[in-house]
Amino acid sequence: MSNILRSLLFVPGSRPERFEKALAAGADLVCIDLEDAVLPANKDAARAAVLACIDNEKKLCVRINPVGTETGEKDLHAFANATTPDVIMLAKCESANDVLHAQRVINQPNTRFIPLIETLTGVENAYQIASACAQVEHIMFGGADMAAELRCEFGYQPLLFVRSQLVFAAAKANVGLIDVPYVDIKSDSGLRTETAKVKALGFSGKAAIHPCQIDAIHHTFMPTEQQVAYAQAVMTAVDGLDAGVVVVNNKMVDRPIILACQRTLALVNNASSKPKTEREN
């Protein structure tokens, strides 16, 4: 992964007055939503508002409507014919062909894609989606739609089986994995608990629906000072990934630990280049 995302903040495409505040909230990436957050009658107006925003700010993500639908194709061609955002999220992505179709239409080698996996078919094809092309650096779990398809509760435990499958697919494809937002914006403790659980499971980031959630997500995903110090000591002691077995702080270190330490330091370096939220300052 060349870019690590701890947080992704959603903002409705039909609320352009919120774009600037969202972009200043300190999230690693802001995603303007043209899909679920926009009523069908407002799709064209929202798309126009997003295009106007991209003229001034390309470093954002836009969630488009599903590839193959009328509105999804309008979204794709609008961004192909005008300024293209840095990242495009593909709602209800179900196959590698969905990704490749979007790639062909956009035709911009620097545009990254985040396939949103939220259907049973998407889970079945998760690895193929995650490895469809090099422009896929992250995939994301869409829990609400998945819960509806599975006929289960929208909660951590009922969706643990699906989350685990996506962890496997993302790790095999060597891409990041972003979790669904925690919808109770009043519960900071609930957000921190769920974020800690998905981090332990193997997720690399979590989405948010309000700026007040960013600080808790960042704090949970950041390694501790002790973990950073250990990672630095390991990388000082070894000479490349094939250094063999060495001992650091009386602990055996081999290639898997070296890779984990690299990820720890990459996360710290990536976070240091991001703007901080007011609470982090």
Side-chain angles (χ1 to χ4, degrees):
M1 288 180 286
S2 61
N3 185 35
I4 298 174
L5 297 177
R6 301 163 297 171
S7 62
L8 182 149
L9 175 62
F10 280 105
V11 59
S14 55
R15 301 297 298 272
E17 72 276 9
R18 296 184 182 179
F19 293 174
E20 185 175 351
K21 182 179 179 180
L23 288 165
D28 287 347
L29 185 65
V30 171
C31 182
I32 303 179
D33 186 12
L34 289 177
E35 194 214 8
D36 287 344
V38 180
L39 294 173
N42 298 332
K43 297 284 188 182
D44 291 341
R47 187 184 304 112
V50 174
L51 287 168
C53 179
I54 294 172
D55 283 340
N56 299 316
E57 176 61 63
K58 296 182 178 64
K59 298 297 182 181
L60 53 77
C61 173
V62 177
R63 175 162 76 166
I64 67 169
N65 291 276
V67 170
T69 66
E70 181 179 354
T71 50
E73 294 304 307
K74 282 185 178 181
D75 293 340
L76 277 177
H77 286 279
F79 295 124
N81 295 325
T83 305
T84 305
D86 192 47
V87 184
I88 292 178
M89 181 180 291
L90 305 175
K92 295 179 176 63
C93 188
E94 295 194 324
S95 70
N97 286 335
D98 287 348
V99 179
L100 297 176
H101 173 69
Q103 182 190 43
R104 285 191 296 269
V105 174
I106 296 298
N107 195 29
Q108 296 290 337
N110 294 325
T111 299
R112 291 171 285 147
F113 296 99
I114 299 179
L116 182 56
I117 298 178
E118 48 190 336
T119 67
L120 299 179
T121 301
V123 174
E124 288 180 331
N125 296 325
Y127 170 67
Q128 288 78 11
I129 292 170
S131 58
C133 68
Q135 288 168 257
V136 175
E137 294 184 354
H138 298 79
I139 59 174
M140 182 175 164
F141 172 46
D145 286 88
M146 184 64 65
E149 291 218 355
L150 288 172
R151 298 168 291 180
C152 70
E153 292 184 8
F154 179 27
Y156 179 79
Q157 196 63 37
L159 293 170
L160 177 57
F161 174 67
V162 176
R163 279 187 167 103
S164 299
Q165 292 186 79
L166 295 184
V167 167
F168 179 86
K172 186 176 180 182
N174 193 29
V175 300
L177 177 57
I178 303 167
D179 192 45
V180 63
Y182 188 76
V183 296
D184 186 354
I185 63 173
K186 299 290 186 180
S187 178
D188 185 73
S189 61
L191 170 63
R192 290 176 185 270
T193 297
E194 184 168 279
T195 304
K197 286 181 178 179
V198 298
K199 176 189 176 185
L201 192 62
F203 281 71
S204 56
K206 190 167 180 65
I209 54 174
H210 194 280
C212 71
Q213 297 179 313
I214 300 301
D215 180 61
I217 292 172
H218 285 184
H219 183 270
T220 304
F221 273 104
M222 287 301 293
T224 65
E225 292 183 3
Q226 293 81 0
Q227 289 171 327
V228 174
Y230 177 70
Q232 290 171 336
V234 167
M235 298 314 299
T236 298
V238 302
D239 182 20
L241 296 179
D242 299 318
V245 177
V246 298
V247 176
V248 177
N249 296 346
N250 299 318
K251 296 179 180 179
M252 185 188 75
V253 172
D254 56 9
R255 191 172 187 275
I257 295 176
I258 296 171
L259 290 172
C261 289
Q262 282 189 323
R263 287 193 296 269
T264 295
L265 297 180
L267 177 58
V268 173
N269 292 335
N270 187 265
S272 67
S273 67
K274 304 289 184 180
K276 293 184 178 182
T277 64
E278 292 182 2
R279 290 180 61 190
E280 287 181 308
N281 284 324

